[in-house]
Amino acid sequence: MSGSGAPVSQGLTWLPAHRFFHELSPRGRVVLGQLPLTATMFLVLGIVWVFHPALLLDPVFGAGLMLHALMFILALGIPWQRLPPAAALAVPVLDFIPVGLIRESGVETVPALGAMAVLPVVWLTSSQLYPRFCLVMSFLGPLLMVWVPLVLRGSVAGEEYSVVVLLPIMMFATGFAVHTLSASRDHQQRTVEEARAQLQAALDSSARKERLVNTVVDAVGVGVLALDAAGKITLRNQQQKRNHALAHPAPAPGSDLAEVRVYGRGGKELLLPEMFPERRAAKGEDFSDYLVWVGENGKQRVFSTSARAILDDGRFDGSVVTFTDVSALVEAMTAKDAFLSNVSHELRTPLTSILGYTEVLAARNDLPSEAGVMLKVVRRNGQRLQRLVTDLLTAASGSVDVRPEPADLAEIIGFSLATAAPQAGAAGVNLVNEADAEVPALIDPTRMGQVLDNLFSNAIKYSPDGGTVTVRAGATEEGVFCSVTDTGIGMRQEDLKELFTKFFRSETARKSGIPGIGLGLAITRTIVENHGGSIKCTSTPGKGSTFTVTLPASR
C-alpha cells in the first residue's frame, strides 16, 4: 500500500481543461467564456481590413465592434462573484446583438459572418444552467439576429424570411448537440469524481488499517512472520526481526557466509534447512508448539513456533508463523525435573531402609499377631510409597514400566477400598462397591492398584462435606471397565481438557484449598495407556465427577 498516499485525481489526466475552468474565479470563467468571440472579432477585423476595407466605414459594422468591446470590458469589470452564477448567462445572450450587427453589415460581402453566433450558442448550452432557457435562446437568439434587420428594413417578401431560417435551425442543432455532450460529460465527470472519492476513501481506510495492523503486530511480544503463496516474506514484525538477527549472526572473520543458528533436539543439533519453521510453513504445513533453539551458546533462546495456512477457496495463499519465546518456561521445566529427580532419589534411600527392616521384623516368629498385621500394612504402604517415588522419577524421565499378567480386577478394587477406608471414615465419605464379583483382566496388579488408589484418594479428597464414592467394574465385549463416581465439588468443562496434564489443578480445586501437586492423574493416565486402555472423566460443578477406565480384553 505504499502508493496509497497519492491522490487518485493525479491519474485523471484527461480532465485538466475541465478542472482548470472550474478552478477559475467567477470573473475568470466569464472572461474565458467571452475570449473566443473576442479573438474571432479580431480575426474578422483583420480579414475585413485586408480584403474589404470599405466595410470598415459602415457604421453598423463599427457599432457591432464597439458593442462587443464594451461587453468584454464589462466582463472584466463586473464583480461576478457577488452575483448568482446564472447572471453570467446575460453575456452570451447579449452577444447575439453585436454578432447580428456585424452580420447585417457584411452579409453581402462576407456571408459567413453569421456563423459567429455559434460561439454564444456553445457558451449557453454548455453551461448546464437553466438548460431549457439556454436551448430556447440557442434558437431564438440567431432567429432574432437575422429576422430583426429584415423587419426593420420593412421587407415583406416571404422568401427572404425563409432563406435565413436555416441559420437559427443550424445554431439550435449545434446547441442541442453541445448540450447533450456537455450533459454527458458532466454526468461522466460526477461518476468519475464519485468513483475517485470512493477509491481514495478505500485507499485511505486501507492505509489506516495497514498502519493499525503493523502497530498492533509490532506491539505484541511474539515474533510474527507472514509468507505469500511463493514463500516470500511479506511481513515481519520488530520482534521477529530481532529473532532473525539472533539466528543470523555476523559472519566469522575471513568468511562471507554466517551459519544459521537454528537448532533442534534440546539446542544441540543444527536443524536441516527444510525443517525450519518458515520452510515448513511455505510448504503449506500447519503445526503448533514446534520447539526450536535459536542463537549461539550463551545467547540461545527457545521458541515455540506455530503456523497456520491462509486459504483462498481452498487454495494455499500463504501462511502466518508465530515465534513465542519460551526460554524461561523450558528452563523452569528443566529445573522442575531436576528437582523431582533429586527429591525422589533422596526419598528412595530411607524408604529402602524402612522396607528392609520391615522384612526383617516380619521374619521373626516371636511377634504378637497384631504386630504382624501392622507390619503388613507398613510394608504395603511402604511399597506403594516407594512406587510413588519411582513414579516421580519416571515422570521426570517420561516413562512408566507396566508388566501385565492375568489378575482379578475385583480383588484389586477390594484391596484398594480397604486401604482407602481410614481416609474415607475421617472425611465422612461412604464407600460403595458395586463391582462384579470377579473381573478377570490382563493387568499389572501393582500398577492398577496405584491407579485405583489415586482415583479413590481424589474422590474422597474432593468430597470435603462427606458424600458417597461408588466404584463399578465389569466385563464388556471390548474388554473390562472400572468407574469411580463421587458426589464432590466437580469441575468445569474447560478444566477437563487439561485434567490429565502433569501438575495441572482445576480452578475449583485451587480455590477449595485442598492440597495436591497435580501429578496423580497424569501418572494414572500413563499407566492406563501403557496397558493399552483409556481413561476419561465427566463432571458437573457442585455435583461430582466420574472417572472411567477402559482396558482391553485379556487374551
Side-chain angles (χ1 to χ4, degrees):
M1 297 183 184
S2 59
S4 61
V8 177
S9 59
Q10 292 180 1
L12 301 179
T13 56
W14 60 280
L15 293 173
H18 181 79
R19 286 191 174 279
F20 172 74
F21 181 79
H22 284 279
E23 288 173 359
L24 292 173
S25 65
R27 175 183 286 111
R29 289 198 292 270
V30 172
V31 172
L32 186 62
Q34 186 72 343
L35 196 59
L37 183 59
T38 302
T40 303
M41 288 289 187
F42 275 107
L43 180 62
V44 168
L45 181 60
I47 292 172
V48 169
W49 184 283
V50 175
F51 299 103
H52 308 284
L55 190 58
L56 296 175
L57 302 176
D58 190 328
V60 176
F61 183 84
L65 290 177
M66 294 298 297
L67 181 58
H68 176 75
L70 177 62
M71 290 184 61
F72 188 78
I73 293 172
L74 291 176
L76 285 171
I78 293 176
W80 298 103
Q81 66 275 9
R82 299 180 184 178
L83 302 175
L89 295 180
V91 176
V93 170
L94 293 175
D95 276 341
F96 289 117
I97 298 176
V99 171
L101 291 174
I102 291 175
R103 174 193 173 278
E104 177 63 21
S105 63
V107 68
E108 298 296 336
T109 56
V110 189
L113 291 176
M116 288 192 298
V118 74
L119 297 175
V121 166
V122 169
W123 186 350
L124 283 168
T125 53
S126 65
S127 69
Q128 296 299 306
L129 296 172
Y130 299 101
R132 292 183 180 178
F133 168 78
C134 291
L135 282 174
V136 169
M137 289 306 301
S138 68
F139 175 77
L140 191 59
L143 181 67
L144 295 176
M145 184 183 74
V146 295
W147 278 25
V148 167
L150 293 177
V151 173
L152 292 178
R153 288 200 304 267
S155 177
V156 294
E159 61 274 10
E160 291 188 29
Y161 290 95
S162 62
V163 170
V164 295
V165 78
L166 183 61
L167 180 64
I169 293 176
M170 291 175 62
M171 293 296 105
F172 175 77
T174 301
F176 183 81
V178 170
H179 169 75
T180 303
L181 292 174
S182 180
S184 176
R185 181 208 62 194
D186 286 354
H187 175 73
Q188 186 178 18
Q189 168 66 10
R190 286 193 298 271
T191 302
V192 170
E193 289 292 339
E194 291 173 1
R196 183 202 66 81
Q198 292 174 0
L199 180 58
Q200 190 67 53
L203 290 174
D204 291 343
S205 176
S206 179
R208 285 194 299 270
K209 290 179 180 178
E210 183 181 19
R211 290 193 295 270
L212 175 62
V213 169
N214 288 336
T215 302
V216 171
V217 169
D218 283 337
V220 299
V222 176
V224 179
L225 188 71
L227 308 172
D228 61 16
K232 182 180 178 181
I233 296 174
T234 58
L235 181 146
R236 180 191 284 145
N237 71 343
Q238 293 299 323
Q239 181 61 49
Q240 185 54 27
K241 290 178 182 178
R242 291 190 285 269
N243 298 343
H244 181 79
L246 187 64
H248 298 76
S255 174
D256 295 332
L257 298 176
E259 189 176 27
V260 180
R261 302 293 183 177
V262 180
Y263 301 84
R265 297 184 180 275
K268 305 298 182 182
E269 183 177 323
L270 280 170
L271 274 182
L272 295 174
E274 58 266 24
M275 295 304 296
F276 289 178
E278 55 268 38
R279 295 283 186 88
R280 293 180 59 188
K283 292 185 291 186
E285 289 188 49
D286 283 353
F287 53 85
S288 298
D289 299 326
Y290 177 53
L291 291 181
V292 294
W293 282 253
V294 177
E296 300 172 295
N297 292 334
K299 298 180 180 179
Q300 197 172 73
R301 307 297 296 176
V302 187
F303 292 94
S304 174
T305 65
S306 299
R308 291 294 180 271
I310 302 171
L311 300 179
D312 182 8
D313 292 332
R315 181 180 58 85
F316 177 70
D317 196 35
S319 186
V320 176
V321 191
T322 60
F323 294 74
T324 305
D325 191 334
V326 293
S327 303
L329 178 60
V330 170
E331 290 176 5
M333 294 294 290
T334 303
K336 180 240 348 173
D337 290 340
F339 172 77
L340 286 177
S341 180
N342 291 334
V343 170
S344 300
H345 278 295
E346 293 297 325
L347 289 174
R348 177 177 282 181
T349 300
L351 276 173
T352 301
S353 298
I354 292 171
L355 290 173
Y357 282 111
T358 301
E359 293 290 342
V360 172
L361 288 173
R364 297 183 58 170
N365 298 323
D366 58 346
L367 292 177
S369 58
E370 295 85 354
V373 173
M374 293 178 182
L375 279 174
K376 288 182 180 179
V377 173
V378 171
R379 182 176 60 183
R380 183 173 68 246
N381 286 284
Q383 289 173 340
R384 289 184 177 174
L385 183 56
Q386 188 179 46
R387 183 58 65 88
L388 177 59
V389 170
T390 302
D391 287 341
L392 286 172
L393 290 171
T394 302
S397 64
S399 63
V400 174
D401 183 31
V402 172
R403 299 177 181 178
E405 61 183 63
D408 185 0
L409 181 59
E411 182 179 347
I412 299 173
I413 291 173
F415 183 77
S416 293
L417 283 174
T419 303
Q423 180 189 2
V429 175
N430 182 32
L431 298 178
V432 178
N433 186 357
E434 295 184 358
D436 292 350
E438 292 184 0
V439 184
L442 187 64
I443 55 177
D444 183 329
T446 303
R447 290 296 190 184
M448 194 52 60
Q450 185 179 351
V451 168
L452 292 168
D453 286 349
N454 281 334
L455 295 180
F456 289 148
S457 176
N458 282 347
I460 296 168
K461 183 166 61 174
Y462 293 112
S463 300
D465 297 328
T468 301
V469 174
T470 304
V471 57
R472 300 178 179 86
T476 65
E477 293 181 358
E478 292 78 17
V480 297
F481 77 94
C482 177
S483 67
V484 177
T485 302
D486 65 65
T487 57
I489 59 178
M491 290 170 285
R492 303 179 306 169
Q493 293 301 309
E494 50 266 34
D495 291 331
L496 297 180
K497 299 177 182 178
E498 306 290 335
L499 185 59
F500 296 100
T501 304
K502 287 191 296 185
F503 303 104
F504 173 79
R505 301 194 72 216
S506 69
E507 183 180 354
T508 307
R510 294 195 302 270
K511 290 182 177 179
S512 68
I514 299 172
I517 62 172
L519 191 59
L521 288 177
I523 296 174
T524 295
R525 183 177 68 172
T526 303
I527 294 172
V528 171
E529 289 180 348
N530 286 355
H531 276 84
S534 63
I535 183 171
K536 65 178 182 179
C537 175
T538 58
S539 185
T540 303
K543 295 185 179 180
S545 306
T546 297
F547 288 84
T548 303
V549 174
T550 303
L551 300 172
S554 59
R555 292 183 292 274

